[in-house]
Amino acid sequence: MKLWINNNSKEKSVAAANKLRSKLLDAGLVLDRRDPQLVISVGGDGTLLSTFHAYAAHLDKVKFLALHTGHLGFYSDWTDTEIDELANRIIECQDNIPSTSYPLLDVMVENKEGSLFHGIAINETVVRRLSSLTMKTRVDLDREFFESFRGDGLCFATPTGSTAYSKSIGGALIHPKISVFQMIEIASINNRVYRTISSPIIIPHNQQVDLYPQTADDYVISCDGITTKLKNVKKITIKLNYQRAQFAQYRHRHFWTRVETAFLGQDEQK
């Protein structure tokens, strides 16, 4: 099996990656950065996001795996204290990698000259302005007018991304087995001209959101923290991508257990 291991520069991550790499190479697995079947991220959630985007063009043949060198992240089932067990699981299952899949956001921006920008996000996409001025946009849901939004911006989150930025601005927590995404308003303004629902909206897999922002030269769109400046925006479309991110699942860890561990950390009540 061909694989690649990507790690951040922290000492703990480098040591964990080297140990895992050595064990897998000793077992006859092959390192291949350009055409891997399995890509392993060693570090934190930020490392996983950068690793995912490095291989986002190969979603049809790549499976991802995250080994966390801190607290367990929402994409990680393994820590650096479990390298021996993880290596054994990878070696045993190299001919048939067990996996689960997560929804992804598909982002398309059209400007007034007809040029297109296409992006993808595994966590969230945020549309806002760089200046302190508010963003004004028409919002269509499923190709029908829904609201006139005015505020700091709009956040669109996948189920796995629902535990990240969207949670901090009042988004719902969504189980990743549900093929939906959500829209969360960021500091919306409500008056006689601009009326918003002021609540997270859960959108099914076969519907989309279209934004028609008022003219401004300082719009930006961020996909998992990767920010792109936009000019002369005509329309922004957010929907679920037809592809999903495949994650190697050498053992099952319940999503709500991840949530409890990350945000509550309480012992089980007897």
Side-chain angles (χ1 to χ4, degrees), residues 78-145:
W78 303 88
T79 68
D80 57 339
T81 63
E82 303 171 303
I83 291 176
D84 291 341
E85 181 183 355
L86 173 58
N88 290 335
R89 298 282 183 92
I90 293 173
I91 294 166
E92 291 170 358
C93 303
Q94 59 181 297
D95 294 328
N96 185 20
I97 304 173
S99 65
T100 188
S101 66
Y102 299 137
L104 301 169
L105 289 177
D106 186 272
V107 183
M108 186 67 71
V109 181
E110 181 182 355
N111 69 17
K112 294 176 182 178
E113 289 75 38
S115 297
L116 298 176
F117 163 83
H118 181 252
I120 192 171
I122 191 171
N123 263 8
E124 73 273 317
T125 292
V126 178
V127 182
R128 58 186 178 86
R129 294 180 66 180
L130 278 175
S131 68
S132 58
L133 298 175
T134 56
M135 183 177 89
K136 303 174 185 178
T137 184
R138 166 178 166 164
V139 179
D140 286 10
L141 287 180
D142 199 24
R143 297 179 174 87
E144 294 187 3
F145 173 77

Side-chain angles (χ1 to χ4, degrees), residues 1-4 24-25 28-33 36 38 94:
M1 182 177 71
K2 296 184 293 184
L3 61 91
W4 186 251
L24 296 177
L25 289 177
L29 279 73
V30 178
L31 289 179
D32 188 333
R33 186 171 189 167
L38 177 67
Q94 59 181 297

Side-chain angles (χ1 to χ4, degrees), residues 215-234:
T215 301
D217 290 329
D218 60 346
Y219 286 109
V220 294
I221 191 163
S222 175
C223 295
D224 297 332
I226 302 171
T227 301
T228 302
K229 294 181 180 179
L230 305 174
K231 289 186 177 181
N232 299 320
V233 179
K234 178 181 178 182

Side-chain angles (χ1 to χ4, degrees), residues 22 45 51 64 70-71 74 80 87 99 107-108 131-132 137 157 162 166 181 195 206 214 227 230 242-243 252 262 269:
S22 177
D45 284 344
T51 301
F64 298 92
H71 299 291
F74 279 90
D80 57 339
S99 65
V107 183
M108 186 67 71
S131 68
S132 58
T137 184
S162 70
S166 71
F181 68 104
R195 301 296 301 170
N206 60 345
Q214 287 191 1
T227 301
L230 305 174
Y242 73 95
Q243 291 183 301
H252 176 69
Q269 299 296 316

Side-chain angles (χ1 to χ4, degrees), residues 5 14 17 19 26 38 45 48 60 83 91 93 104 114 122 145 151 171 177 184 192 194 199 204 213 226 255 262:
I5 299 176
V14 172
K19 181 178 179 180
D26 288 346
L38 177 67
D45 284 344
L48 181 278
D60 56 335
I83 291 176
I91 294 166
C93 303
L104 301 169
I122 191 171
F145 173 77
K177 287 190 178 296
I184 310 99
R192 288 187 298 175
Y194 295 94
S199 174
I226 302 171
F255 174 75

